[in-house]
Every structure is written in C-alpha cells, then in structure tokens.
Amino acid sequence: KQEVTQIPAALSVPEGENLVLNCSFTDSAIYNLQWFRQDPGKGLTSLLLIQSSQREQTSGRLNASLDKSSGRSTLYIAASQPGDSATYLCAVRLSGAGSYQLTFGKGTKLSVIP
Amino acid sequence: DAGVIQSPRHEVTEMGQEVTLRCKPISGHNSLFWYRQTMMRGLELLIYFNNNVPIDDSGMPEDRFSAKMPNASFSTLKIQPSEPRDSAVYFCASSFFNGPNEQFFGPGTRLTVL
C-alpha cells in the first residue's frame, strides 16, 4: 500500500526566505505526483503535476522535483510571501493499467511571517 | 471554465436526516472523484467514476453512503441516515483520464451533523 509522508507538519518562515517542502512515498512505481495548495476553509488548488518521466516542473516561484528511485519529491518556493501561507499537500498516483487513485500526504502547514 | 462546482458549500443537519451533496465536474472531464477530509484521517477517496460508471466504491464507509452520476455533468453523494461521525468536508474532483490526469478539486461541502 502506497504511503505518503510530508515533513515537517508545520513550518514558519520570515517573508523573503526561500524554502523547501518535502514529500516521500513508499512505492516508487508511480505514474505522476501532484502538489496542491489548500487555504483554510477552501478546496485544493493544483500547483504542479510531475509525470514519472520528468525530473522537475516549474511555475513562477515554485519548482517541484521528483526522484522516483529514492521515493522523494520537493517543492521549492523562492522569495516567500505572506500570501504563500497555506497547507501544501502532495499526492501520488501509482502506475499500472487502470490506476487512478491519488494517495495524499497529511500536508505541511506553511506560515510566512511579514 | 468555472471549475468544479459543488453545492451546498455548508450543510448543517441533525442526526438521522438525509443529506445530498452535489457536484458539477469540469466540462470535458471523464473522471470524477468524491473525497472526504477530516483532521484525523486526512483526504480519503470515497468513490471514483469513469465515463459516468462507478469504478471503485471501496472507500464508501458503509451502506448509508451512496453516489450516482446520471450524466457527464452531474453527480450526487447521498448519506442516509446521517450520523455525527459523518461530519467532514466532502470534495468532488474531476480529471481527463486519458490525459495527464491532473485532478481539479471543487471548493468542498462542509457537513456538520448534530
């Protein structure tokens, strides 16, 4: 059974700092990995999707990397801003015919202090 | 595109009452997912539809839960009778199965059963 772990559970940083959020998974036979952002009381917003054949994806100040062999992904946020404060979740989809289910981590709650 | 639409956004009901949650997926998407999110268990997949057909309902907690997708643009999740332990945020998500399969989430329905 795929398990996804995100460490730390919470992180507080001053504005302007670069930071890294970590995600690890137990089964390396993944189809893709998706990073989401969740604001309090809101739904999940998809940030980046990395296919298993890719090493990284970038969107603005966000960069996500994937190392399948070690079962790890990182989300790098450059020049953090208070508006980046949210919970960040990673989710993996296993490879294989008919595979569709996303397995989620519990998330990292990020607070960017002005 | 309006994104995934869910209604109601908030629902407060008494134990034993029937609850119906509604979802309109993104136009053109052929996969639909219902999730439940709680503090204790995080995000859990309840049921998955592909081309309006339920493919996997193994996550549905018990017979009190049922879901339908009568057409490509509408799905319901029904709880009858509701219990206090059903209190959670219920999310609907959709994706295009034959593509990158990036899942897009609705804003969720916060259910409180008294």
Side-chain angles (χ1 to χ4, degrees):
Chain A
K1 179 186 174 185
Q2 177 75 276
E3 293 183 1
V4 180
T5 304
Q6 293 185 247
I7 296 173
L11 179 65
S12 183
V13 301
E15 180 178 1
E17 192 165 294
N18 302 326
L19 60 101
V20 173
L21 306 180
N22 297 296
C23 172
S24 61
F25 45 93
T26 54
D27 189 337
S28 61
I30 68 169
Y31 183 80
N32 60 33
L33 183 146
Q34 199 167 350
W35 280 94
F36 294 89
R37 167 188 172 136
Q38 185 173 26
D39 294 279
K42 302 288 181 64
L44 279 69
T45 300
S46 179
L47 297 173
L48 289 164
L49 174 75
I50 309 178
Q51 300 293 353
S52 63
S53 58
Q54 297 174 320
R55 296 284 298 196
E56 64 180 308
Q57 281 285 343
T58 298
S59 176
R61 295 183 294 108
L62 306 179
N63 176 275
S65 68
L66 174 64
D67 184 343
K68 275 201 323 178
S69 61
S70 66
R72 293 181 182 177
S73 176
T74 61
L75 179 67
Y76 174 83
I77 302 177
S80 58
Q81 303 170 358
D84 295 330
S85 298
T87 297
Y88 291 81
L89 299 104
C90 73
V92 298
R93 176 187 168 196
L94 286 174
S95 59
S99 175
Y100 51 85
Q101 184 167 350
L102 286 180
T103 302
F104 284 84
K106 292 288 182 65
T108 295
K109 184 175 182 180
L110 173 66
S111 298
V112 181
I113 312 302
Chain B
D1 196 319
V4 177
I5 298 172
Q6 290 187 248
S7 64
R9 294 294 310 279
H10 302 274
E11 177 80 31
V12 180
T13 191
E14 293 187 347
M15 183 174 63
Q17 296 298 306
E18 177 179 299
V19 175
T20 299
L21 311 181
R22 298 172 177 79
C23 174
K24 177 179 170 56
I26 292 173
S27 177
H29 283 184
N30 57 2
S31 293
L32 185 138
F33 308 80
W34 281 101
Y35 292 89
R36 179 170 67 177
Q37 186 178 39
T38 61
M39 289 291 291
M40 289 294 294
R41 301 172 69 93
L43 268 162
E44 302 174 284
L45 178 66
L46 300 177
I47 187 168
Y48 160 62
F49 291 88
N50 185 254
N51 292 322
N52 312 337
V53 176
I55 303 299
D56 183 357
D57 65 356
S58 60
M60 297 285 260
E62 44 197 278
D63 292 345
R64 299 184 296 106
F65 285 69
S66 63
K68 294 181 179 180
M69 192 165 186
N71 57 62
S73 59
F74 183 66
S75 177
T76 59
L77 177 67
K78 185 177 294 187
I79 308 173
Q80 166 64 18
S82 58
E83 297 182 3
R85 59 194 169 114
D86 301 330
S87 297
V89 181
Y90 291 81
F91 289 105
C92 175
S94 70
S95 70
F96 182 57
F97 184 79
N98 295 331
N101 211 310
E102 184 174 5
Q103 290 192 22
F104 295 89
F105 279 68
T109 296
R110 181 173 295 276
L111 174 65
T112 302
V113 183
L114 303 175

